[in-house]
Amino acid sequence: MSQNQPVAAGTRIGHVHLKVADLDRALGFYCGVLGFELMQRMGSGAAFISAGGYHHHIGLNTWESKGGSPPPSGTTGLFHTAILYPTRPALADALHRVLSAGIGLDGASDHGVSEALYLRDPDENGVELYWDKPREQWPVGPDGKLTMFTKRLDVEALLMQREG
């Protein structure tokens, strides 16, 4: 296969595996705050969590990082893990969970194609919580190409979309 051919359209990123310093603390955030379900725990070294019963969307481990500190600023590595919510009300619920847990946001943006919340997990890993707008609402230029942008997201208006 030539390098110039695009990857298959159905290709998706299946899961992310994060190195954490404290497994219980990480589970407290991802399961306790965000609401992911613990699928399997491997002693004190690793855990696999998911939404909706999938084998795992996020793997957490302390194999090389137990008690460790976040990488220093200015180094390479993961910028953030993006968690896609199915609807705007589901994202609003995630925002409510985060704020109720006393976790601050680093930012909140409307990108034209999506609305996104940015924060940090207990290990200072970047986390993006977002939902995709319907494709027909995505901004396109006169040439038909996507024209994403970054504008301030009204988090109060988002919170009002929360169901329940």
Side-chain angles (χ1 to χ4, degrees), residues 5-101:
Q5 292 180 337
V7 67
T11 303
R12 301 283 184 263
I13 294 178
H15 68 270
V16 64
H17 205 116
L18 301 173
K19 294 191 285 186
V20 299
D22 182 313
L23 189 58
D24 288 328
R25 182 180 70 183
L27 287 169
F29 174 76
Y30 287 100
C31 294
V33 174
L34 295 183
F36 281 87
E37 179 184 2
L38 178 63
M39 300 304 292
Q40 181 179 1
R41 184 166 179 155
M42 300 172 71
S44 62
F48 299 93
I49 63 176
S50 87
Y54 186 64
H55 56 78
H56 73 290
H57 288 106
I58 301 173
L60 304 165
N61 78 67
T62 60
W63 300 324
E64 299 175 355
S65 55
K66 188 172 181 125
S69 59
S73 183
T75 60
T76 60
L78 181 69
F79 184 71
H80 66 230
T81 299
I83 299 170
L84 176 61
Y85 288 82
T87 63
R88 193 167 198 252
L91 180 63
D93 181 66
L95 174 59
H96 176 76
R97 289 168 175 267
V98 165
L99 296 178
S100 294

Side-chain angles (χ1 to χ4, degrees), residues 82-163:
I83 299 170
L84 176 61
Y85 288 82
T87 63
R88 193 167 198 252
L91 180 63
D93 181 66
L95 174 59
H96 176 76
R97 289 168 175 267
V98 165
L99 296 178
S100 294
I103 298 168
L105 297 177
D106 291 342
S109 299
D110 179 343
H111 295 298
V113 297
S114 64
E115 292 180 328
L117 307 170
Y118 299 95
L119 57 141
R120 303 219 161 257
D121 76 4
D123 289 288
E124 294 296 316
N125 293 308
V127 177
E128 175 184 353
L129 309 177
Y130 75 107
W131 84 284
D132 278 335
K133 295 179 180 181
R135 196 175 193 113
E136 59 273 9
Q137 292 179 16
W138 293 4
V140 293
D143 60 359
K145 294 194 186 242
L146 194 58
T147 57
M148 291 174 47
F149 53 77
T150 299
K151 294 181 180 174
R152 184 185 156 280
L153 177 64
D154 183 344
V155 293
E156 293 301 321
L158 175 61
L159 273 176
M160 295 187 67
Q161 293 291 308
R162 187 168 163 255
E163 293 177 347

